[in-house]
């Protein structure tokens, strides 16, 4: 036969038995329910992220107040609405004659059954359905889509306030990926054009005025195109010249600053920035784009995404090369070799970039 032994605890000093531990207390009384991390999170009230049924009002959300949540705007009339923060998605339904600013949106913005609205929008995806007469200054990472919509007008996003750059980063958007003028009409009508481009001279503040309330004025907004967080591009407007130049900056600590510096230098001399892109490249992509210069530049692709700029104007290639040599002498930059090769360089790069981004 086997023997069972029970080892008794020694009594505590002074003859008192040991106190029951937490486990013993739980066994003796009611067992405590386990706590999980999601139980400790603040509860989200959808009402805090909704503007609904407003008329003749100015309303908004300050930086840090939306913080990546989804937002809803619906049934508003004659309102000025400002979302000065990044969000997950935004839907705008049944709004009439409203002026709207939407900070960076990580996912999609969807306008439905809206009319006579003027908007400034930055997003990953842009879509409208059953809308009429929307005028939009847009930054969109993918091809904007309109459906069953008429009288749509588009311009390039132009806006600045101090928190905006970080909000773009939090939303996962690049300031160089903006297809604002590459509109896809999902329901075209033969013989009609449901969309067009705003005048190049259009002034953002004439469409969506700066906020007038004391609370929102604290955001320190500027609509000066030279200060815009997004480089202002001509997009698909007709080019002024047959000559374009491709410039590619490789990943590094100052890539964005260098690209912005070159934009300032070239536009101050009268050249036009047509389009920009930030995209990862593989070695085979580099051989196709850089061709005879590939051996010099392909090894740099492992460092991260490149930023590419297209400038247009007579003498663009010569001026780009001259500026690069003067201002960026210590930086590796690809510039089109000559006027003869420049157009092909531009086509090679942007065809590759569009395929990478699914357009």
């Amino acid at each position: 036969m086997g023997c069972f032994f029970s080892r008794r605890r020694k009594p505590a000093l002074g003859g008192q038995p040991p106190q029951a531990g937490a486990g013993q207390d739980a066994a003796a009384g009611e067992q405590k329910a386990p706590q999980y991390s999601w139980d400790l999170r603040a509860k989200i009230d959808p009402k805090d992220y909704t503007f609904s049924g407003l008329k003749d009002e100015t309303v908004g959300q300050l930086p840090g107040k939306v913080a990546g949540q989804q937002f809803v705007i619906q049934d508003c009339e004659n309102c000025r609405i400002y979302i000065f923060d990044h969000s997950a998605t935004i839907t705008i339904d049944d709004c009439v004659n409203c002026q709207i600013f939407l900070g960076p949106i990580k996912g999609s913005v969807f306008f439905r059954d809206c009319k006579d609205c003027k908007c400034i929008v930055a997003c990953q995806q842009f879509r409208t359905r059953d809308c009429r007469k929307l005028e939009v200054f847009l930054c969109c990472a993918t091809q904007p889509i309109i459906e069953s919509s008429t009288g749509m007008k588009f311009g390039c996003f132009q806006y600045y306030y101090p928190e905006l750059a970080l909000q773009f980063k939090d939303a996962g958007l690049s300031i160089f990926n903006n297809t604002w003028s590459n509109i896809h009409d999902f329901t075209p009508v033969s013989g009609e054009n449901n969309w067009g481009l705003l005048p190049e001279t259009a002034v953002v503040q004439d469409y969506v005025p700066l906020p007038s309330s004391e609370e929102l004025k604290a955001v320190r907004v500027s609509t000066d195109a030279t200060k815009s967080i997004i480089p202002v591009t001509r997009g698909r407007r007709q080019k002024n010249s047959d000559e374009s130049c491709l410039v590619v900056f490789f990943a590094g600590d100052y890539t964005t600053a260098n690209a912005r510096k070159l934009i300032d230098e070239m536009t101050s001399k009268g050249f036009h920035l047509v389009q920009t892109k930030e995209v990862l490249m593989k070695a085979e992509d580099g051989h196709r784009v850089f061709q005879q210069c590939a051996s010099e530049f392909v090894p740099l692709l492992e460092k991260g995404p490149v930023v590419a700029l297209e400038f247009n104007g007579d003498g663009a290639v010569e001026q780009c090369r001259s500026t690069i040599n003067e201002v960026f002498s210590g930086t590796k930059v690809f510039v089109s070799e000559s006027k003869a090769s420049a157009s092909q360089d531009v086509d090679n790069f942007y065809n590759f970039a569009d395929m990478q981004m699914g357009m």
Side-chain angles (χ1 to χ4, degrees):
M1 292 179 62
C3 296
F4 292 89
F5 295 92
S6 175
R7 182 171 296 175
R8 300 174 62 90
R9 288 187 179 183
K10 293 181 180 180
L13 292 178
Q16 297 297 322
Q19 297 296 315
Q24 292 169 302
D25 285 338
E30 293 185 4
Q31 188 172 358
K32 294 181 179 179
Q35 272 195 322
Y36 300 101
S37 59
W38 51 83
D39 292 324
L40 303 177
R41 294 175 186 166
K43 299 300 182 183
I44 300 298
D45 187 346
K47 293 180 182 178
D48 294 335
Y49 304 95
T50 301
F51 289 140
S52 180
L54 305 178
K55 186 173 182 179
D56 301 319
E57 292 191 43
T58 295
V59 294
Q61 292 282 1
L62 294 171
K65 294 299 184 180
V66 179
Q69 298 295 326
Q70 61 185 20
F71 208 93
V72 174
I73 301 170
Q74 60 189 14
D75 300 309
C76 294
E77 184 178 354
N78 300 327
C79 289
R80 293 182 179 178
I81 299 170
Y82 305 86
I83 307 296
F84 290 128
D85 205 359
H86 69 101
S87 57
T89 62
I90 295 184
T91 56
I92 303 96
D93 293 326
D94 299 291
C95 288
V96 179
N97 195 33
C98 290
Q99 297 161 319
I100 302 171
F101 171 83
L102 303 178
I105 303 163
K106 186 173 185 177
S108 64
V109 59
F110 200 177
F111 288 82
R112 297 177 294 199
D113 298 289
C114 295
K115 62 181 181 179
D116 299 313
C117 292
K118 298 174 173 60
C119 313
I120 304 171
V121 179
C123 59
Q124 176 73 20
Q125 298 175 325
F126 176 91
R127 187 173 180 183
T128 70
R129 188 175 68 202
D130 299 317
C131 292
R132 180 165 61 86
K133 292 185 65 177
L134 265 59
E135 296 172 315
V136 186
F137 290 88
L138 179 63
C139 173
C140 187
T142 57
Q143 186 174 29
I145 295 174
I146 64 172
E147 179 182 358
S148 302
S149 299
T150 60
M152 311 292 289
K153 298 288 185 181
F154 295 91
C156 184
F157 182 102
Q158 301 170 42
Y159 221 72
Y160 169 84
Y161 52 87
E163 298 86 355
L164 191 53
L166 183 58
Q167 291 173 4
F168 264 87
K169 184 176 180 181
D170 288 340
L173 300 179
S174 167
I175 64 172
F176 295 109
N177 289 335
N178 185 9
T179 63
W180 67 270
S181 63
N182 186 19
I183 311 299
H184 175 67
D185 188 349
F186 198 72
T187 52
V189 177
S190 179
E192 298 182 15
N193 193 357
N194 294 320
W195 67 275
L197 302 183
L198 291 168
E200 194 168 3
T201 55
V203 178
V204 173
Q205 199 168 322
D206 293 342
Y207 292 77
V208 181
L210 299 183
S212 56
S213 70
E214 290 302 318
E215 181 183 30
L216 296 175
K217 282 165 67 174
V219 178
R220 294 188 292 155
V221 170
S222 173
T223 57
D224 184 343
T226 63
K227 295 181 179 179
S228 176
I229 192 71
I230 297 295
V232 179
T233 57
R234 289 178 61 84
R236 297 205 164 189
R237 291 190 176 99
Q238 185 174 355
K239 296 178 181 178
N240 292 347
S241 170
D242 293 332
E243 182 178 349
S244 284
C245 182
L246 176 69
V247 179
V248 178
F249 287 91
F250 299 91
D253 293 337
Y254 306 104
T255 304
T256 298
N258 288 340
R260 297 305 297 254
K261 176 65 175 175
L262 182 60
I263 292 170
D264 292 343
E265 292 281 339
M266 291 296 291
T267 54
S268 69
K269 294 177 171 64
F271 295 94
H272 295 286
L273 180 65
V274 177
Q275 57 182 329
T276 65
K277 276 286 190 294
E278 183 173 13
V279 66
L280 286 166
M281 296 181 73
K282 298 178 181 178
E284 55 266 33
D285 305 320
H287 283 287
R288 185 165 67 250
V289 173
F290 306 131
Q291 299 183 14
Q292 65 267 27
C293 302
S295 60
E296 180 182 0
F297 295 113
V298 165
L300 302 176
L301 301 179
E302 297 179 359
K303 296 182 178 181
V306 303
V307 171
L309 315 172
E310 179 191 350
F311 294 100
N312 181 259
D314 294 341
V317 173
E318 180 181 350
Q319 186 59 60
C320 276
R321 297 191 70 82
S322 174
T323 303
I324 292 295
N325 290 334
E326 291 175 9
V327 181
F328 305 98
S329 56
T331 304
K332 284 281 188 181
V333 185
F334 171 83
V335 189
S336 296
E337 286 285 327
S338 64
K339 178 180 176 179
S341 66
S343 294
Q344 190 60 53
D345 291 338
V346 170
D347 289 344
N348 285 344
F349 181 85
Y350 285 102
N351 288 339
F352 143 75
D354 287 344
M355 286 191 295
Q356 286 290 98
M357 301 179 76
M359 290 185 286

